[in-house]
Amino acid sequence: MALGDFIEREAQLDDEEEDEELDDDLAGEHRKSGLNGKQKRQDPEDSSEEEDDDDDEEAAKIAQGFIVDDEDEEEEEQDDGSKVMVKGRKKKRSRSQREDDEEEGLDEDDFDLIGENTGFEVHRANLKRLKRGPQGDDGRRRKQSRDLDDIFSDEEADAPGEPDDDDEGLSNMRAHGGDRGDARGLVDVDEFADFIEEDSGDEGRQGGSDDDMQMAGQRSRGGDRGRVSYAPEHLNLREGAISDMQDIFGRGDEYDFALITEEDQEEEGEDKVKDLELKDVFEPSELAERMLTDEDNEIRLNDVPERYQIARKPYAHLRIGRDEIDEEGDWISKFLIPKKRLTSHLVEALVKAIKKILEFFILEDMEVPFVFQHRKDYLIHAEKVPKRQYNDNEAQYEIVAERLISQDDLWEILELDLKFRAYFDKRHAFMRTYDQLKHHANVEDREAEEGIRYAETSDQLQDMHDYIHFRYHSQLKDIALNGVEGRGNHFRRPGNAKTMFERIRNGKVYGLVRAFGISASQFSVNVQLDQKREFAEDPLDYPHTMSDEYIEIPEFASGESALQAAKFMLAEEMFTNPSLRKALRERWFTRSLIHVNVTEKGVKKIDEQHQYYEFKYLRNQTMQAIAAQPGMYLRMMKAESDGLVEINIELQNEEGYTRRLYDYITSENVSDIADAWNKERKDVVDLAMAKFRVMFQKNVKDELRTACEDAVASECRRNYSKKLDQAPYKPKALKLGEIPRVFALSNGQGERGRDALVGIFRDEDGRVLESVKYSDLKDEKSRQELVDALQRRKPDVIGVSGFSVQTHKLVEDLRQLVEQNDIVVTGEEDEKIPIEVVYVNDEVARLYHNSERAMVDHPDLPPLARYCVALARYVQNPLLEYAGLGKDIVSIVFHPAQQLLPEDKLQRSLDSAIVDMVNLVGVDINEAASKPYVATLVPYVCGLGPRKATSVLKTIQANGGRVSSRIELLGDNEKGLGTVVGPRVFVNCASFLIIPHDPSDRNSDYLDNTRVHPEDYDLGRKMAADALDIDEEDVAAMVVDGGPGAVINELINGQEDKVNELSLEDYAEELERNFNQKKRATLETIRAELQHAYEELRNRFNKLSTEEIFTMLTGETRETLDEGMVVPVNIRRVTDRFIAARLDCGIEGNVSIDEMHNGTSHFTPSSMYSIGQTVQARIENINTRTFYAELSLREDKVRNPKRKNPDVPQEEWDDAREERDKARLAVTNQEQTRTARVIKHPLFKPFNSRQAEEFLAGQSRGDAVIRPSSNGPDHIAVTWKVSDNIYQHIDVLELDKENEFTVGRTLRVGGRFSYSDLDELIVNHIKAMARKVDELTHNSKFRSGTKADCEKWLEKYCEANPKRSTYGFCFDTKHPGYFLLMFKAGAASPVGSWPVKIIPSAFQLRDTPFPDMMTLCNGFKTMFMHSQKSRARM
């Protein structure tokens, strides 16, 4: 706090006391003193209600030091008192506190005694109250007193806020040893010491002794504010005496919290000044979602690429230098070399390249796009090959270059770098553990040392951890206890129980383990070498006889238990032996077989049309075969998690291999004793193999899952890259990469009379200039208006898409309209070409048109118009559309199995694809700063990310909203420009941020508009000068006149082709020779950029194929809709010659007369089929171009649909199991074998119960489905919707049937209700029950929710009304068609329930029908009363 803050705090005598004399001893001292030299010290008892003698008495106590003044500085007195403020805070002293202080007062004898013991004369002070006077009221201030020895000279006035010094008071104070006017006169302290303490808080208390520090300064409410400063030497006390007294008796402020009133807390809280932070306002989850946490801010500020910071966060504590990079390069090479299939002479070059790339990634923090673009020479192996024939003017050799590492490989190396860090971290953890064992437990273990030396994978490291913790469990526990709890002592904490294996190892039984004659390590040697090198030695006695010698009471009380424990111990030693694990793991991972065992649930649910049928009975699959179908394996894992199948993994010829293991552990002696011990040894192998089997089965599953997830993620990345790798649509009049003008149209679902035709026009600058809407193109007026709009706007292309097959008809109509009205675009050489109508991929538009982003971008447009906007933008720049999706990109399907991937893995894979493409295309940073739509690209720029991107754009806006050169990104203090990015991030991102060249600006650099990195600008300028044949002196002159880009400006002014005459090979050799830089590929890039800055390198706009259009408009693929499949179709038209039908996907179909029956004579279609009827039909032929299908309704064909025959050899498919399951299922479920019925009724569906429920899920209460019944040919089933997720299945018995296929003339339900036809049944039975359900659910006694919810409501009601009874109704979800009448007769009674059945036109309670709710409720009350009376009689 500055001294100026105290200006208004100067003391002034109260009007009533102005004439009173101040006490000559301490009055002046009291006015001068203040806490920390900033505030006036107010007497604790100073109040308008107290007398002066009380003040004097209390002041004397304080001065003597035996009573600590508890009062805070912020004291507010009454009108006749003074007001003293600290930092603007005030505190009212309670009356009770003042009274307590009075009771503790000391009399004159006490003061005399104090003086005798301390050597100081102590006087009572008659202190007057002070209050703050107006700043300018000089007449009411006391005249300031000066003293030559005072620290304030004549030229310096007293500090504002300090009371005036009294001359007499000062002399009295000095007589008592004080020189700063402290009321106590006991401490010789520098005048400004308290100011420093007040300003710096706790930090200002670093000097001096402990006593000085503890007693100096003011005491805060919670601690030391108001405490007097004492020096031990003035009290004749030894150093540290005050600390000792405080340790014993306390500081006196332990109960201060109890003295603080609520008013004090409120005033203090109001006066505290605290800067609000975001975390004080927003929830942590919201801050995390918006990337505004402290961690996010740290990522923004840290000069490391954002994606690196996030990926390497778990390994931030690791430090990887050049030595580790060399090791990591060898480690990664072992994974990449097998995939590359390189010749032997290129393997060494690949390893060297990988190590160099790791240097770029780790030491220089360069991201993949930068390395790929600007370090290409390190990804290529080039060598000089002598020419067999050459001319005198030609070189004698040619350069043969071969790419070693692709961009995909760079991403894989980056991923492997993270895996190496995990491996490296795990290895260090093991080394630390082993070092502790060596130093603290004197452990030397050759197995551990050898194992860690050759451990190459995380699994092998885990083996080492398991081994060391099993072998030295007790020692590790001791080390942990000593290190954490014992602090160096060697006593174990009591009560730590040992494991069973520890007890065996430390007890007698371990001698029986040794008696087996072969150790786990010896056995592992035999297994590793696959031959017998170590031999077992047989003891002299039988196992069961020897085991009696190793009995330990009470744990191993018999020889049998001791022998069993020894076998378990040896088996565990085998199981934890790292060498044995390594040998067996290799075998399991190369010779495993995978079988699928379908569960009972899977047998019923997975039919031949199910997606899981492809592996339902799969068996004998090798890991290589499974890895070749990653999507199928992920589906297998999903099916296993759903309980449909079990995936069993076994070792090939496991029995034979186990017999070989027996040979490696048994002895070759021939005797009964040897046979007995060999039998026990074989048991040990069986025990160990059982544990190995469980572990390796899980390992194989996990490794396969990881490999398959990686494969699917890579496939998603490749497919996404193909979608991104397309330039804007190119009409013939534009150059590749230029933005076309687009007219986008869509008819939505395309239903005539309901869906209008909507379109928008978007120009090359991204402005939506026109929005149109037409009712129907069949209308001549609408057609003409559309033609006028097209001719007026002159688009380069018409883009069309929609949600149904009707879009195909729209495209045909538009093409016809263009041709008839001669709507053309100008091509090359002013050629007139009809404007093209193209299908547009709408996968982004479907996500966009109803999104919040779309509503913000185009609030005035309807959803279908916003859909058209997205179509137009996709045509103009697909990359921008995909980038705008952000995290929603995972909603687009790139692979059928992508939903089975972890979302973060899929997101990372897709992000890597768009990062590559964005950095290939570049981003105009000034356009991004002004257009949010373009700004979506910035997070994908090399070195940036979503956090840094927002920071970059905000800083650019703060700098004026525009960047003039790339170097400005580093900031410019002279121009007042803030730093946009740090040096490392700048290296990564600079060449990918485009700053358009302005020839009129001499400071504008052409190279800022190219892919050339600023580090290579000098190379580019030299190449330009050499191409123009300009010497250095002329270059210098041109730079002076035209700026640093003058030479290149001269070159691009029509002389670009001259750079083709340069010999880049000579440049490259000179750079490598003089600067050790490989720049051959970089020079090629510079030459290309000097001719065409940021030339479009993407492929042409991808026009959709026929199959892609078919899938987009129907949602079907060849896997889901193909010839031979049986599908439901809806009949649209019936004639004597054909039937027109429509599939659910919108495809039109036709059924000829020959495909309607099996040759029945006198057959007429209208007698069997009607409009609106849904029937099962088989697809005979399908045309994906015209969206048309030929169908068959013949029963023999419908019964034999196309079956999915898994394309696997017979030995890999369990046919016998499949036949058994089919036969068993046919017996238990007649639905599989019954005749397919076709009933002429619009509500008939060929569904089973589950399908019927799914069909009715989105419909209203009372809607019904008539379907075949599994009870036989004389039954049909009716499923109707009672409520959400509640469906009643009614069995209908057909009587008086004409034949098997007709509906009975009498339909009976439940043996009670009879109807003459299906319509009467629906109206008088189903609809009547639905009305009763409506009546009950609208009653005030109905409770929505579950039975438990209703019970809870009854309990609460009776709890609130203990003497009342209540009841209510709720759905009986277990018995559809029933309600539960729940009741509670008082608070002490249990909740009861009676079922209420819904029957047509009535409610049935206890076999009694009630026509309405009123009679039902009254009937219930009557029944309940009668039941209660009956119980009472009993």
Side-chain angles (χ1 to χ4, degrees), residues 1-15:
M1 185 179 290
L3 292 178
D5 295 335
F6 294 87
I7 291 175
E8 297 183 356
R9 302 182 185 180
E10 297 183 61
Q12 173 186 343
L13 290 178
D14 199 41
D15 293 338

Short mmCIF file of all heavy atoms in Angstrom, two decimals, residues 1-15:
data_model
loop_
_atom_site.label_atom_id
_atom_site.label_comp_id
_atom_site.label_asym_id
_atom_site.label_seq_id
_atom_site.Cartn_x
_atom_site.Cartn_y
_atom_site.Cartn_z
N MET A 1 0.84 -1.19 0.00
CA MET A 1 0.00 0.00 0.00
C MET A 1 0.88 1.24 0.00
O MET A 1 1.80 1.35 0.78
CB MET A 1 -0.91 -0.01 1.24
CG MET A 1 -1.89 1.14 1.24
SD MET A 1 -2.94 1.08 2.69
CE MET A 1 -3.92 -0.35 2.30
N ALA A 2 0.62 2.18 -0.89
CA ALA A 2 1.43 3.40 -1.00
C ALA A 2 1.13 4.34 0.16
O ALA A 2 0.06 4.29 0.77
CB ALA A 2 1.15 4.07 -2.34
N LEU A 3 2.10 5.25 0.42
CA LEU A 3 1.91 6.19 1.52
C LEU A 3 0.74 7.12 1.25
O LEU A 3 0.08 7.59 2.18
CB LEU A 3 3.19 7.01 1.72
CG LEU A 3 4.40 6.24 2.24
CD1 LEU A 3 5.58 7.17 2.35
CD2 LEU A 3 4.09 5.61 3.59
N GLY A 4 0.49 7.35 -0.02
CA GLY A 4 -0.62 8.23 -0.35
C GLY A 4 -1.94 7.71 0.11
O GLY A 4 -2.90 8.46 0.28
N ASP A 5 -2.03 6.40 0.32
CA ASP A 5 -3.29 5.82 0.77
C ASP A 5 -3.64 6.23 2.19
O ASP A 5 -4.75 6.01 2.65
CB ASP A 5 -3.23 4.29 0.70
CG ASP A 5 -3.10 3.82 -0.73
OD1 ASP A 5 -3.53 4.58 -1.62
OD2 ASP A 5 -2.56 2.71 -0.94
N PHE A 6 -2.67 6.77 2.90
CA PHE A 6 -2.90 7.13 4.30
C PHE A 6 -3.22 8.61 4.47
O PHE A 6 -3.32 9.11 5.57
CB PHE A 6 -1.66 6.81 5.15
CG PHE A 6 -1.39 5.34 5.23
CD1 PHE A 6 -0.63 4.72 4.26
CD2 PHE A 6 -1.91 4.59 6.27
CE1 PHE A 6 -0.38 3.37 4.34
CE2 PHE A 6 -1.66 3.25 6.36
CZ PHE A 6 -0.89 2.63 5.39
N ILE A 7 -3.37 9.34 3.39
CA ILE A 7 -3.52 10.79 3.47
C ILE A 7 -4.73 11.18 4.31
O ILE A 7 -4.70 12.09 5.12
CB ILE A 7 -3.62 11.41 2.07
CG1 ILE A 7 -2.26 11.28 1.38
CG2 ILE A 7 -4.08 12.85 2.12
CD1 ILE A 7 -2.26 11.74 -0.05
N GLU A 8 -5.83 10.43 4.15
CA GLU A 8 -7.04 10.78 4.86
C GLU A 8 -7.11 10.16 6.24
O GLU A 8 -8.14 10.17 6.87
CB GLU A 8 -8.25 10.32 4.05
CG GLU A 8 -8.34 11.02 2.72
CD GLU A 8 -9.58 10.62 1.95
OE1 GLU A 8 -10.29 9.73 2.46
OE2 GLU A 8 -9.84 11.19 0.90
N ARG A 9 -6.00 9.62 6.70
CA ARG A 9 -6.05 8.92 7.97
C ARG A 9 -5.30 9.67 9.07
O ARG A 9 -4.94 9.10 10.08
CB ARG A 9 -5.47 7.52 7.81
CG ARG A 9 -6.23 6.75 6.76
CD ARG A 9 -5.72 5.36 6.63
NE ARG A 9 -6.39 4.70 5.54
CZ ARG A 9 -6.17 3.47 5.16
NH1 ARG A 9 -5.29 2.74 5.80
NH2 ARG A 9 -6.81 2.93 4.14
N GLU A 10 -5.00 10.95 8.87
CA GLU A 10 -4.31 11.70 9.90
C GLU A 10 -5.23 11.89 11.11
O GLU A 10 -6.42 12.15 10.98
CB GLU A 10 -3.88 13.05 9.36
CG GLU A 10 -2.87 12.90 8.20
CD GLU A 10 -2.40 14.24 7.73
OE1 GLU A 10 -1.80 14.97 8.52
OE2 GLU A 10 -2.63 14.56 6.57
N ALA A 11 -4.65 11.77 12.27
CA ALA A 11 -5.45 11.83 13.50
C ALA A 11 -5.86 13.25 13.83
O ALA A 11 -5.15 14.21 13.55
CB ALA A 11 -4.65 11.24 14.65
N GLN A 12 -7.00 13.36 14.44
CA GLN A 12 -7.52 14.66 14.86
C GLN A 12 -8.23 14.49 16.19
O GLN A 12 -8.96 13.52 16.38
CB GLN A 12 -8.49 15.19 13.80
CG GLN A 12 -9.20 16.46 14.22
CD GLN A 12 -10.25 16.84 13.20
OE1 GLN A 12 -10.19 16.35 12.09
NE2 GLN A 12 -11.18 17.69 13.58
N LEU A 13 -7.99 15.41 17.08
CA LEU A 13 -8.66 15.33 18.39
C LEU A 13 -10.14 15.61 18.24
O LEU A 13 -10.56 16.42 17.43
CB LEU A 13 -8.03 16.31 19.37
CG LEU A 13 -6.62 15.98 19.84
CD1 LEU A 13 -6.14 17.09 20.76
CD2 LEU A 13 -6.59 14.64 20.53
N ASP A 14 -10.89 14.91 19.03
CA ASP A 14 -12.32 15.11 19.03
C ASP A 14 -12.63 16.49 19.60
O ASP A 14 -11.88 17.05 20.40
CB ASP A 14 -12.98 14.03 19.87
CG ASP A 14 -14.45 13.92 19.52
OD1 ASP A 14 -14.77 13.99 18.32
OD2 ASP A 14 -15.21 13.74 20.45
N ASP A 15 -13.74 17.05 19.18
CA ASP A 15 -14.10 18.40 19.63
C ASP A 15 -14.18 18.50 21.14
O ASP A 15 -13.74 19.46 21.75
CB ASP A 15 -15.44 18.82 19.02
CG ASP A 15 -15.32 18.98 17.52
OD1 ASP A 15 -14.18 19.18 17.05
OD2 ASP A 15 -16.36 18.91 16.82
#
